[in-house]
Amino acid sequence: MELSLTVNGQPAVVDVPPGTTLLEVLRDELGLTGTKEVCDEGECGACTVIVDGRPLDACIYAAHAADRAEVLTVEGLAAGDELTDLQRAFVEAGSVQCGFCTPGFLVMATHLLETAAELSEEQVRRGLAGNLCRCTGYAQIVDAVLAVGRGA
Amino acid sequence: MSLIGASVPRGDAVAKVTGRAVYGVDVRLPGMVHARLLRSPIPAGRIVTLDVDDAWAVDGVLAVCTADDAPPRRTGLAVYDQRLFADDVVRYEGEPIAAVVAETEAAARRALEAIRLELEPWEPVAGPEQALDPATRLVHPHWAEYEVAPGLEFRRHGNVAAEMISDPGDVDAVFARAPFVVEDEYRANRQYQAYLEPKHAVVDYQGGRYTVYVAHQYPFNVRDRLAQILGVAVSRIRVVCPTIGGGFGAKLDVGLEPYAAVLARKVGRPVRIVNDRLEDLLTCTSREDAIVQIRSAVDEDGRILARELTCLMNCGAYAGDMPFLASIPLHLAGSVYRVGTARVEARVLYTNTAPTGAMRGVGGTYLTFAVERHMDHIAAELGMGRRELRLRNLFRDGDRMLTGQVIDQAGTLRQAFDRMEQVAPWAQVTAPRPLHGVGLAALIWLTNPMPGSATLKLNEDGTLGVVTAATENGSGAVAMGLTQIAAEELGLRPSDVVVLAPDTDAAAYDAGSQGSRTTHVVGAAIRKAAAEVRRRIFDVAAEMLEVSVDDLELVDGTVGVVGDPGSRVPLGEVARTATFTTGPIAATGAYRTPMPAHDPTCATGLLFPSFPTPTFHLHLAEVEVDPVTGRIHVVRYVVVQDVGRAINPTGIRGQIQGGVTQGLGYALFEQLDFDGARYRQRSLETYRLPTAVDVPRVEVELIENADPAGPYGAKGVAEPPVVPVAVAVANAVSDAVGAPFDRLPVTPEDVLAALEERRRRP
Ligand code: FES
Ligand code: FES
């Protein structure tokens, strides 16, 4: 099954068997290993990517549904070496420990910040409740999102 | 400005926020092929048929392997009780029976389905109490023939894989004349480490050597255990560690590496193996389930006169590191509070469940749960304040643990209670409010003493290379702690320090990320190496500048005469001069914490005899319970923690917040429990981890009582914050509801049942 999609602004064409997930396309076909697989069943948010403006779990998203779609992954956030404000805030606030959850949180929080004018702590926490982090206990992740959300 | 105490961003953060960091599961080698394991679908039984012929015939399959093709020996950490594949008998659900390797993962999965496996199911040995019953079948009928690791001495018998007993002989007499005796039993279920990156390995076999790529907490243990299992010299194995996606104790022993190694040798190509989440959860060496019985003799003033504590620990089908952890009950039964004399017994029991093992805080979690719940019970029996009872029995400087170990700085506990009183005055927080409760829990914990080393080399551009097998498990111990210490020692910016990822061919031995040891032990090693590097820099610079070495200082990447900025020479220039005259500037430092003295006659089976570099902790939880849903809301959480010296305060806050969150999970949501001998929880949906809406922002108060041997006084930090949490919360819930909660986790159903009970019997 041939699919063409745009990933982080780059056109890509892949040929994959039916039943392939978007996560497999990203990691195995395109070598974009920034997006992580943790549960493979939509429970943890580690594989969050944005497809045509909507955040979703790439591990349970059929690749064929992404045909002709625009996909944004963690690798597409920074412009070259120029980090986004949110990425910088993650670095500074201590939001990253092992970092395995970080790509999913960054993509999800980027979406939250783009879609809300202003975010309260409660809204940030609710917005990130679908993403699991085993290391940080969330406080410093929430801090980073709030630092950017309030700055906006 | 000093870097010690500065919240410098971690060195690996940019790679992690851009998705560029390469984790273990991201490793791809040319020609790599894919392996999967056939695992036992039942917890106990006999293999009647295992026919792999059809699997060989599946398109893309390169090899199939069973017990017949694997190394024949049994190995282990303390007891050599485990083979790579089950032979004849399966002892837990998920136990590997066969392995396949194929061109693709899909082909490997198809091959597994083609294997014919017939099992005769047996009634499983389900829990520690059943295992202890003399009428129960033995999980290992040939236990007596198993070897024990050299140098270890402990009792084993039948389903008891290890036993630790301490009995000073005078305990019964004290109980017999005690004014009060208080007795309790506490139970805790298993906790899954639930690191986000599943266990995995890639192994390449070339020219008689195995190269193992695995994101691991303890690369040298992978080397040593793999050598043990394969029966080869340690020099035949090289372990390289990419970035790790969490471990929390579950990645200290070998996991999938031996399977990949056996298959890689068979097929002559690099073999990758990764657990899916279900296999990971089913087979992970989770924190053990345990039953703790505790009894104390107390006088009218609330003074504890004697104690008896018995602990049953479920090690599952194989002993793993549990015989070592059987020492923890003795350490925790009589530290923090004086208990007079005490008899402590711990038994590690074989059952037909997944092997258990170390998780952050190990048995400290449920033992502190028992000890501190029991303190609340004693206070209630005596009609005494809970804080007051604790203060009356609290350790002071120089008090002894039950092992005879002297705790010099134990007075830090009193400091912690005083600090807590400033931020959360007891009278104020405990002012009666309906369905609101407060819990308190204190702890003495250790810093793992095991050896480490680091080689520092001054690069020819003035940056510093650090070669060490210390692992950055996410805590920041390497990316913050060691980086900052090295930079501070040599007047560099943290960004000028480049730490090589662990590679057992390059670095000398390191005991891995366990027990909060990295900053303390490897930091001390770095300081030793840095002293030598500094001496070499000064020698070379003294000649270049024609001054005495005593006049020199290191400032901002330069060396110059003290107080004369005009004299400064960049370190790159010094390094180049040195390299091409006397030779490159490099030095190695090594350190191991000396073990504190203890009384060797205090116990038998005490494989982990003392608590080096102790730290002191006090936690307070405030909860509200919802009378309709039973939901427990942790509204406030305060941690007072002695860290020796805070190298990076933001990093420490992150460790405390993260550790407390794991503790809240253990207290309220997380558990692996059994339907027979099978886990009920089988995904991250049913195994419920805390999310961003479940946990409060933890208030952190640091005490900095320096350790004389630690780098800048630093002690271990990251492990202990998880330990007292469950009991601080359970004490708070018991206070809120007015009924004891003596089982972990405390669930909304438990709360509703207790409220109902209270309504019926006012
Ligand atoms: S890996 Fe996709 S939600 Fe967990
Ligand atoms: S930083 Fe490790 S899981 Fe979030």
Side-chain angles (χ1 to χ4, degrees), chain A residues 95-102 105 132-136 141, chain B residues 196:
Chain A
S95 323
V96 179
Q97 288 187 25
C98 84
F100 210 74
C101 69
T102 304
F105 272 97
L132 293 176
C133 173
R134 189 49 152 168
C135 300
T136 65
I141 295 176
Chain B
L196 294 197

Side-chain angles (χ1 to χ4, degrees), chain B residues 336-338 387-397 399 407-422 426 442-444 615-618 640 642 703 705:
Chain B
V336 179
Y337 308 112
R338 296 173 171 179
R387 181 172 185 271
E388 180 55 31
L389 177 78
R390 287 174 167 82
L391 290 178
R392 283 196 190 178
N393 290 287
L394 201 62
F395 260 35
R396 317 232 167 99
D397 280 352
D399 273 356
I407 306 291
D408 293 325
Q409 297 184 350
T412 309
L413 286 166
R414 179 69 216 212
Q415 238 179 306
F417 274 85
D418 291 345
R419 180 76 76 83
M420 186 67 84
E421 189 59 15
Q422 284 165 15
W426 185 248
L443 175 73
I444 297 180
T615 56
F616 307 91
H617 309 258
L618 182 63
V640 181
D642 162 43
I703 293 177
N705 285 351

Side-chain angles (χ1 to χ4, degrees), chain A residues 24 27-28 32-41 43-44 46 73-78 80-83 86-103 105-106 121-122 124-140 142-143 146, chain B residues 7 9-10 12-14 16-23 25-26 28 191-198 243-246 248 272 276-277 359-360 472-475 480 649-651 653-655 657-659 661-662 665 670 682-685 687 689-698:
Chain A
E24 288 165 331
R27 286 184 58 85
D28 301 335
L32 293 170
T33 55
T35 307
K36 298 304 185 207
E37 176 180 332
V38 170
C39 68
D40 208 25
E41 56 180 22
E43 286 298 333
C44 74
T73 74
V74 65
E75 289 95 341
L77 296 177
D81 282 344
E82 189 60 32
L83 300 185
L86 185 66
Q87 285 172 312
R88 249 196 312 276
F90 264 56
V91 171
E92 273 152 29
S95 323
V96 179
Q97 288 187 25
C98 84
F100 210 74
C101 69
T102 304
F105 272 97
L106 278 168
E121 171 154 356
E122 188 54 35
V124 171
R125 284 183 183 271
R126 265 192 278 119
L128 297 178
N131 290 69
L132 293 176
C133 173
R134 189 49 152 168
C135 300
T136 65
Y138 305 101
Q140 289 167 324
V142 172
D143 287 346
L146 284 174
Chain B
S7 288
R10 51 188 301 146
D12 57 6
V14 171
K16 287 175 172 178
V17 299
T18 51
R20 286 202 301 261
V22 176
Y23 289 78
V25 292
D26 300 331
R28 302 282 187 275
Q191 184 176 25
Y192 172 39
Q193 289 82 349
Y195 40 77
L196 294 197
E197 181 181 38
T243 308
I244 184 170
F248 313 111
R272 176 179 194 253
D276 65 32
R277 186 51 62 174
M359 177 173 176
R360 191 182 194 173
E472 174 48 70
N473 67 2
S475 69
M480 292 167 165
T650 295
R653 272 169 201 282
Q655 288 313 299
Q657 174 79 38
T661 300
Q662 290 179 352
E670 298 178 35
R682 308 185 74 87
S683 70
L684 291 183
E685 185 187 0
Y687 188 86
L689 294 168
T691 71
V693 293
D694 296 319
V695 290
R697 191 176 291 270
V698 175

